[in-house]
Amino acid sequence: MKNSPVRNDVDELRGALERASFVVALTGAGISAESGVPTFRGSNGLWRNYSPEKLATPQAFAKDPRLVWEWYDWRRSIIHKAQPNPGHLALAELERRQNAARRDAAGHGFTLITQNVDGLHDRAGSRNTIKLHGDLWYVQCTGCGAVERNQEVPLPPDNLPPRCRCGALLRPAVVWFGEPLPSQAWERAVEASARAELFLVVGTSAVVYPAAGLAEVARQAGARLAILNPEPTPLDSAADWALRGPAGEILPRLL
Ligand code: BV8
Ligand code: ZN
């Protein structure tokens, strides 16, 4: 546990960011909140009074694939209209700066790890993003395993749940509760977190594992931790900085 008080100084964190050679950012649904995308556990996250934890499971899909697809279709229609916000854009700019610095000094770099499935980091220009929980713009066949991009919004109601050419049900290519994370993404995320000098945790309630555990991997390896969230999180007490505010406001001030 940390003994010095947690600091909330943006200028100090900006200084640490400028000096850091390898930076990692872990993002959650909160970074997309200012783009109008409901968060998982926030008050506006509910859909027809279902809790996401109940819908984002293989059991819910097995029981009622149409209901689960109606939820994803609703989220896809919101995300389709949403725009990346200054928080997404700032992380894309940070990646460009860190990579430019890398050309001068070895070891410089930046890795973005996201729990989000909305694709807004891609649309903001982030390049080497590790998607721990998949991407709702891809579908996966429960029969033949084929994975393909599907950006149809809305999905035709008479074709819900959608089916593969092989006849089996298609599912969103995302990780549900109780399912393992894609091993390659997870290994890359652990490797980057263990190299980080500075680990930013942006817009996540840090309750979902193993994703939230990456902050501990980084801290154990000597990284300093900065939490950016309007609300307190379980990681705050272990953090060097806890900046209380929206990501769209704080991240641009760090550049
Ligand atoms: C696994 C994809 C093992 C789908 C998601 C008991 C039973 C079963 C499982 C478990 C259990 N106890 C623990 C577990 C493990 C479970 C887990 O952690 N559960 C939690 C709820 C306790 N984890 C799993 O099941 C994982 N798999 O463990 O597998 C295994 C291993 C081998 C073999 C077999 C099995 C899989 C977890 C992945 C689940 N899928 N999403 C989809 O999106 O549809 S997780 C889901 O939660 C989203 O990805 C989301 O990103 C993620 C985390 O939530 P947050 O991003 O943090 O969002 P949230 O709404 O919670 O918070 C938003 C935050 O933003 C808030 O703090 C808010 O203050 C802040 N905010 C708001 N506005 C702003 C802001 N911040 C900044 N700026 C703003 N403007
Ligand atoms: Zn198929």
Side-chain angles (χ1 to χ4, degrees):
M1 290 301 267
K2 285 197 59 55
N3 37 30
S4 58
V6 177
R7 301 192 287 263
N8 61 3
D9 185 324
V10 177
D11 298 335
E12 204 185 57
L13 179 55
R14 186 189 309 111
L17 193 55
E18 274 156 17
R19 286 189 300 279
S21 57
F22 198 87
V23 178
V24 172
L26 170 68
T27 63
I31 196 165
S32 298
E34 288 154 273
S35 300
V37 181
T39 61
F40 250 67
R41 291 164 190 84
S43 51
N44 67 350
L46 290 185
W47 173 75
R48 293 190 201 165
N49 295 328
Y50 285 96
S51 121
E53 255 111 51
K54 293 274 173 293
L55 288 171
T57 67
Q59 292 76 12
F61 186 72
K63 181 162 166 282
D64 191 342
R66 184 182 173 88
L67 177 75
V68 171
W69 263 114
E70 285 173 353
W71 177 48
Y72 279 96
D73 194 41
W74 173 71
R75 289 172 66 192
R76 284 159 52 114
S77 63
I78 291 176
I79 293 163
H80 174 71
K81 290 195 285 287
Q83 293 305 319
N85 68 58
H88 297 109
L89 297 169
L91 289 179
E93 171 59 21
L94 179 56
E95 180 184 45
R96 281 190 287 274
R97 288 192 190 179
Q98 285 291 111
N99 290 342
R102 178 181 15 212
R103 272 192 278 287
D104 310 341
H108 261 82
F110 174 80
T111 295
L112 174 59
I113 304 169
T114 189
Q115 302 171 86
N116 299 342
V117 297
D118 58 32
L120 285 175
H121 284 305
D122 301 340
R123 288 172 51 195
S126 290
R127 286 284 155 266
N128 75 332
T129 304
I130 300 176
K131 295 177 183 169
L132 294 179
H133 297 156
D135 184 330
L136 57 61
W137 296 114
Y138 284 81
V139 294
Q140 189 178 357
C141 177
T142 58
C144 68
V147 174
E148 58 187 40
R149 199 158 172 71
N150 172 311
Q151 304 191 97
E152 215 177 346
V153 174
L155 285 164
D158 56 352
N159 181 27
L160 272 186
R163 287 191 178 273
C164 173
R165 285 178 294 283
C166 79
L169 281 180
L170 290 171
R171 59 168 282 175
V174 301
V175 179
W176 282 328
F177 288 101
E179 295 186 322
L181 274 58
S183 51
Q184 206 223 8
W186 176 246
E187 274 145 36
R188 280 180 60 207
V190 169
E191 191 270 329
S193 304
R195 279 179 59 203
E197 272 176 72
L198 188 56
F199 193 90
L200 309 175
V201 183
V202 184
T204 182
S205 57
V207 297
V208 172
Y209 279 81
L214 291 169
E216 194 49 29
V217 167
R219 220 179 56 75
Q220 297 280 359
R224 290 200 288 177
L225 209 48
I227 316 288
L228 279 62
N229 194 317
E231 306 289 328
T233 81
L235 297 177
D236 289 7
S237 53
D240 294 84
W241 294 274
L243 305 181
R244 286 263 178 288
E249 226 174 84
I250 300 179
L251 281 169
R253 288 170 54 198
L254 291 177
L255 292 184

